[in-house]
Amino acid sequence: MSDQPGVTTLDDVAKGRSGRSDGNAVIEIQPGFYLGRTDIAIAEGVSYSSRSFPFAGLSILLEGRIATDAPGLSAIEPNTVLCISHNESRELTSYFHGAERLRNVEIFLLPDWYEQPGNHLVDDPTFQEIREAMDRPLRQMRRPLDARFRELALSTLNLGESGAIAALRLEAQALDLLAGLVGSFRDAHAPSNLSRRDFDRMMAVRDAIEGDPASVESLTALAAAHGVSASKLKRDFFLAFSTCVGGFVNEQRLVLARRLLEEGMNVSQAAYRVGYAHPTNFSTAFKRRYGVAPRDIRG
């Protein structure tokens, strides 16, 4: 997640100050533990920049579509539950695609949460795994939205109460989402049987892709360059980062392309530079990813 303005506390909610009037609210449930609520209309796609930080979280997207330039994180589609963790602190740009509504509920834990006195949850093995994940590269798990999470997200967005009762309900809902994060995290971060040597190799593969995604001519060539078969590359990369290596290459090409376009490169030049043989295919993939055509990106 990223730094967000308009942070309020449960005490603020109890006193009738429940967040920003534009439909966005970030509420501190406990120090280092936050609940985010977004319910806004977006006539046209918008973007904003902020700074990401190490965290673990769970997001429920009911309506709309969200994309970021975070390495390895593809666009989030509606009716999706996303469990995510990473260790990155960097400038981040997020893109909200134009939609009738953007409705999203999320929670996120920061390392500070683990330092709070009296926090009896931090000694639990699963919570320790979550904390350790905040020191590692991005991991994610997605699944379709089920009835339980849908009901929880809707009730969080549509409180129906105000004052102290609203604060109590938000705290209970945030804790319910935290339980969901633990369950989802257990599934997403189950032991992979990936050795330290294999994990380090996959880190080198990831670094190579991020350094120059256009240089990846094929997965077979990429695998050979790192001393493994293509099938082992696909398997180990997924075990290490919970995303497929081919999708990661394509994602990094589009992230690089956007940066080149913002620096003033034209569409065809950017397409060829990041490894596309045909600018038309590049334009289609770019618009699907960011919700705008590459020609509309201005440096």
Side-chain angles (χ1 to χ4, degrees), residues 159-182:
L159 282 176
E161 291 101 3
S162 60
I165 296 177
L168 285 172
R169 288 198 182 278
L170 284 173
E171 182 178 27
Q173 289 158 351
L175 291 172
D176 205 355
L177 288 167
L178 181 59
L181 168 64
V182 172

Side-chain angles (χ1 to χ4, degrees), residues 53-56 71 84-89 111 125-140 185 188-192 194 196 199-200 203 206 239-242:
F53 45 76
F55 83 102
I84 185 172
S85 63
H86 71 67
N87 66 345
E88 294 184 342
S89 180
T126 301
F127 278 101
Q128 283 298 314
E129 290 177 14
I130 293 173
R131 176 63 186 89
E132 291 168 5
M134 298 182 200
D135 294 326
R136 296 197 293 262
L138 182 141
R139 296 287 301 270
Q140 59 178 307
F185 194 95
H189 298 264
S192 64
L194 198 62
R196 171 52 59 179
F199 180 80
D200 289 345
M203 285 295 297
R206 175 175 168 148
L239 288 174
F241 306 116
S242 297

Side-chain angles (χ1 to χ4, degrees), residues 10-21:
L10 288 174
D11 186 56
D12 292 327
V13 175
K15 294 176 180 178
R17 301 190 296 270
S18 58
R20 292 166 53 182
S21 60

Side-chain angles (χ1 to χ4, degrees), residues 182-262:
V182 172
S184 298
F185 194 95
R186 187 177 294 120
D187 294 337
H189 298 264
S192 64
N193 296 322
L194 198 62
S195 70
R196 171 52 59 179
R197 178 183 179 186
D198 286 339
F199 180 80
D200 289 345
R201 180 186 287 121
M202 291 304 103
M203 285 295 297
V205 170
R206 175 175 168 148
D207 289 346
I209 295 170
E210 290 181 340
D212 187 7
S215 67
V216 182
E217 298 179 358
S218 69
L219 295 186
T220 300
L222 180 65
H226 290 272
V228 295
S229 66
S231 60
K232 181 172 175 58
L233 171 66
K234 294 176 183 178
R235 172 186 175 275
D236 287 1
F237 197 89
F238 188 85
L239 288 174
F241 306 116
S242 297
T243 190
C244 65
V245 62
F248 186 76
V249 171
N250 292 334
E251 177 72 10
Q252 292 307 299
R253 286 177 174 173
L254 294 175
V255 169
L256 173 58
R258 185 176 183 104
R259 186 166 70 246
L260 294 174
L261 291 168
E262 290 172 343

